[in-house]
Amino acid sequence: MVLFSVTKKATTPFDGQKPGTSGLRKKVTVFQQPHYLQNFVQSTFNALPADKVKGATIVVSGDGRYFSKDAVQIITKMAAANGVRRVWVGQNSLMSTPAVSAVIRERVGADGSKATGAFILTASHNPGGPTEDFGIKYNMENGGPAPESVTDKIFSNTTTITEYLIAEDLPDVDISVVGVTTFSGPEGPFDVDVFDSTIDYIKLMKTIFDFESIKKLLASPKFTFCYDALHGVAGTYATRIFVEELGAAESSLLNCVPKEDFGGGHPDPNLTYAKELVDRMGLGKSSNAEPPEFGAAADGDADRNMILGKRFFVTPSDSVAIIAANAVQSIPYFSSGLKGVARSMPTSAALDVVAKNLNLKFFEVPTGWKFFGNLMDAGMCSICGEESFGTGSDHIREKDGIWAVLAWLSILAFKNKDNLGGDKLVTVEDIVRQHWGTYGRHYYTRYDYENVDAGAAKELMANLVSMQSSLSDVNKLIKEIRSDVSDVVAADEFEYKDPVDGSVSKHQGVRYLFGDGSRLVFRLSGTGSVGATIRVYIEQYEKDSSKTGRDSQDALAPLVDVALKLSKMQEYTGRSAPTVIT
């Protein structure tokens, strides 16, 4: 057995190590600076209760992006030095964010151990590679992201840190080989357990969905399927679930070999970046072949999803509403009913209408999955979602991209259970249009202005808040821009009081609410690594079923015009067009 010793390394603080909504994200070159990653990891250990570190089991894995393998070895050596009893690592350091949550909650080690938390190495949907992004976040014992009370402590620690602990003489562990390696240090044995991270996740999925009914759907000659992992970690799970478990053809998988740089692409599952899938599904400019009936994509760490039908895009806001409306009859896990539903504030109100019609508890929360986690831990929420391509349920405490795909396949399987041999299957588009016919349609779009000057972004937001003091002046300005837009009847900065722990989250986005149910929301995103990202959310509700089939761009054009001119977007940012439209 290899013996190791503990070294105290002197260090000094780095500026800007404040975790955002999903941890700390910076360029790889920033993380590669001597002591940079180590400072953040030690600050995290110091922020946790002693019993969650000393003698504890922690998970260390991520989406496999560039610098992950180095980071795993560094964190493992620091865990050993800080008295952690064992570290669980996904084979090749690959573990999707939802799978990490599932492993924390579900996995029991051979010695009966359970994890108390995890370092997740991901920058989610951000690009990867030597000059691109890296990220790290800590998830707690419930499987969800650390709450602000913990991330605030982590940040505070990063500003005062003077030393960190590391077992420099601990050999690197071969994380490509499944097995347990045992070492011995000043506080006793220390294990590194490298395991197949798909096993626990698949086991959990089988308790939620009827795999046999989905298998029958995929076996139907009339049903064709396509899944694009964008060279992220989802590819590992897609092969095991869709091909090996559900019988889909290998050819139905696109870009399912995980790569450190995501194949040079941007692993964000939207109509802009998932170009190959968009073309294959008949929505691109170069689409020629007959598209599949169903398509889906994932982001780098597999917590986000995009759902497509043949020549048809399902907005994430509609997706969570449709899953909620169909869950009880289509998904065994929900057969006894839903405890409640929730959405992030910028997400369209499509879910609100479903909740009202089905008499469900409903919650509107700030952006950030930890707010959903609180509701779920309290037994108040079953299904939730964000407009930023994140959907999930209380089976874990993260959004879950593959779960969302399996939910849609379950709904399609249920709708077609007596029709698999018929002339025409019920399609994704059929399901969405039937939903609009029942609940109305929320026309919705999001404009992202990425990497804009942070100072200019703050000035733009401050001006939008200042304007709210006189709605009469706002409405006068709006009428000069577009006379066919309704008046603003309320405007505010969204503030949330958590019904579980009473915490208050302020400055969560600027809202303009119109008399006809339309909304404009402006928010600064915390998921970028440089500059600022301004997100503009534009929404209009249409109850008249004869008007729910309009082109979304046409329906939203007046509000888009108002949003960009009211905010003075071009004047503040210098941008004549958004980076991404979703």
Side-chain angles (χ1 to χ4, degrees):
M1 185 186 298
V2 176
L3 299 174
F4 65 87
S5 56
V6 174
T7 304
K8 289 183 178 180
K9 301 282 283 189
T11 188
T12 54
F14 289 88
D15 288 336
Q17 287 197 319
K18 184 175 178 61
T21 53
S22 295
L24 180 67
R25 294 182 187 172
K26 302 286 182 183
K27 292 297 181 187
V28 166
T29 50
V30 173
F31 272 100
Q32 287 175 323
Q33 296 174 89
H35 311 308
Y36 189 90
L37 173 63
Q38 291 89 333
N39 277 19
F40 187 80
V41 171
Q42 188 64 57
S43 295
T44 303
F45 281 136
N46 293 346
L48 297 171
D51 65 334
K52 304 302 181 191
V53 180
K54 298 281 186 183
T57 299
I58 65 166
V59 183
V60 183
S61 285
D63 60 19
R65 66 179 53 237
Y66 189 85
F67 190 60
S68 293
K69 290 183 172 66
D70 293 335
V72 166
Q73 302 295 347
I74 291 167
I75 297 169
T76 298
K77 292 174 184 182
M78 291 186 68
N82 277 274
V84 170
R85 174 63 182 83
R86 59 188 69 77
V87 170
W88 291 349
V89 181
Q91 189 175 15
N92 295 310
S93 78
L94 293 172
M95 201 182 307
S96 73
T97 292
V100 173
S101 186
V103 162
I104 295 172
R105 294 171 64 83
E106 305 287 338
R107 187 174 195 251
V108 179
D111 56 1
S113 54
K114 288 209 70 177
T116 60
F119 284 100
I120 307 181
L121 309 176
T122 178
S124 188
H125 53 289
N126 295 11
T131 61
E132 295 295 350
D133 294 348
F134 187 76
I136 180 171
K137 68 173 184 171
Y138 194 81
N139 277 34
M140 307 297 284
E141 199 164 12
N142 71 341
E148 285 182 357
S149 60
V150 174
T151 56
D152 286 347
K153 279 185 188 174
I154 294 170
F155 175 57
S156 177
N157 291 343
T158 68
T159 65
T160 59
I161 190 168
T162 59
E163 65 179 23
Y164 61 83
L165 305 180
I166 188 165
E168 289 185 304
D169 54 357
L170 187 79
D172 284 359
V173 174
D174 185 351
I175 57 175
S176 69
V177 179
V178 169
V180 179
T181 308
T182 300
F183 305 96
S184 185
E187 298 187 43
F190 171 71
D191 296 338
V192 180
D193 181 355
V194 179
F195 67 104
D196 180 345
S197 67
T198 65
I199 293 171
D200 298 281
Y201 182 78
I202 293 171
K203 184 178 174 184
L204 179 60
M205 291 301 106
K206 286 183 171 180
T207 69
I208 298 170
F209 301 103
D210 181 350
F211 270 41
E212 284 307 309
S213 71
I214 298 173
K215 203 170 183 178
K216 287 176 185 173
L217 174 72
L218 292 178
S220 168
K222 292 185 175 61
F223 187 80
T224 41
F225 169 83
C226 186
Y227 186 79
D228 189 346
L230 297 177
H231 287 302
V233 71
T236 303
Y237 297 84
T239 302
R240 288 290 306 277
I241 293 173
F242 300 129
V243 176
E244 294 177 20
E245 293 285 344
L246 295 172
E250 191 93 43
S251 59
S252 62
L253 302 186
L254 282 177
N255 305 314
C256 278
V257 176
K259 294 184 177 179
E260 290 187 332
D261 65 349
F262 306 109
H266 192 143
D268 198 352
N270 58 44
L271 295 172
T272 301
Y273 292 128
K275 294 183 179 71
E276 190 173 350
L277 177 68
V278 167
D279 281 347
R280 186 175 285 202
M281 294 305 297
L283 290 165
K285 293 175 182 175
S286 59
S287 305
N288 295 315
E290 182 67 8
E293 290 295 327
F294 179 86
D299 68 336
D301 66 332
D303 62 353
R304 296 186 179 204
N305 73 93
M306 177 170 68
I307 302 296
L308 300 172
K310 182 186 291 186
R311 303 186 187 91
F312 192 83
F313 168 62
V314 183
T315 72
S317 296
D318 278 345
S319 181
V320 66
I322 290 165
I323 290 172
N326 290 278
V328 173
Q329 61 185 8
S330 304
I331 301 170
Y333 181 82
F334 301 113
S335 59
S336 60
L338 302 180
K339 298 163 188 169
V341 294
R343 64 165 174 85
S344 67
M345 182 274 287
T347 303
S348 95
L351 186 61
D352 313 34
V353 181
V354 171
K356 187 176 180 181
N357 275 270
L358 300 183
N359 197 27
L360 296 170
K361 285 182 189 173
F362 168 77
F363 302 92
E364 181 181 29
V365 307
T367 297
W369 213 260
K370 55 197 168 192
F371 299 105
F372 295 133
N374 267 9
L375 296 171
M376 290 173 178
D377 285 346
M380 299 163 72
C381 176
S382 295
I383 290 175
C384 58
E386 295 181 331
E387 50 68 41
S388 54
F389 296 83
T391 325
S393 91
D394 61 353
H395 67 291
I396 55 171
R397 296 296 180 267
E398 288 279 5
K399 48 185 170 271
D400 190 343
I402 287 179
W403 173 92
V405 174
L406 290 170
W408 267 93
L409 290 173
S410 296
I411 294 166
L412 284 161
F414 177 81
K415 299 279 188 186
N416 287 292
K417 68 180 189 297
D418 300 321
N419 189 41
L420 292 175
D423 292 336
K424 184 179 182 299
L425 296 179
V426 175
T427 66
V428 169
E429 182 174 355
D430 292 336
I431 290 169
V432 175
R433 293 194 182 280
Q434 286 165 12
H435 184 89
W436 292 342
T438 302
Y439 297 102
R441 180 177 181 183
H442 291 259
Y443 288 100
Y444 185 87
T445 191
R446 186 182 96 192
Y447 280 29
D448 287 1
Y449 295 81
E450 297 176 345
N451 298 332
V452 302
D453 178 78
K458 287 177 182 174
E459 286 180 23
L460 180 148
M461 296 297 287
N463 184 55
L464 284 167
V465 172
S466 173
M467 290 169 63
Q468 293 179 342
S469 62
S470 176
L471 293 189
S472 59
D473 287 348
V474 168
N475 285 321
K476 183 180 176 186
L477 184 58
I478 287 173
K479 286 294 181 280
E480 290 173 0
I481 300 168
R482 292 292 297 231
S483 60
D484 53 346
V485 168
S486 176
D487 280 351
V488 173
V489 294
D492 65 4
E493 263 198 290
F494 182 61
E495 185 174 297
Y496 177 69
K497 183 175 181 180
D498 195 301
V500 179
D501 62 20
S503 62
V504 176
S505 300
K506 299 182 178 182
H507 309 299
Q508 294 297 312
V510 177
R511 302 191 297 181
Y512 284 83
L513 312 178
F514 294 75
D516 63 353
S518 301
R519 293 195 315 162
L520 293 180
V521 176
F522 301 83
R523 193 177 73 85
L524 293 182
S525 169
T527 60
S529 65
V530 293
T533 294
I534 302 170
R535 302 200 197 284
V536 186
Y537 310 85
I538 302 151
E539 171 184 0
Q540 182 169 349
Y541 180 49
E542 181 57 71
K543 287 187 287 188
D544 185 343
S545 59
S546 69
K547 297 180 180 177
T548 58
R550 295 180 66 195
D551 177 79
S552 186
Q553 285 185 318
D554 291 342
L556 289 167
L559 273 178
V560 169
D561 203 14
V562 167
L564 302 187
K565 289 177 180 171
L566 188 69
S567 64
K568 298 181 179 177
M569 185 64 70
Q570 186 162 357
E571 290 95 313
Y572 278 108
T573 68
R575 304 287 181 85
S576 59
T579 316
V580 178
I581 299 176
T582 55

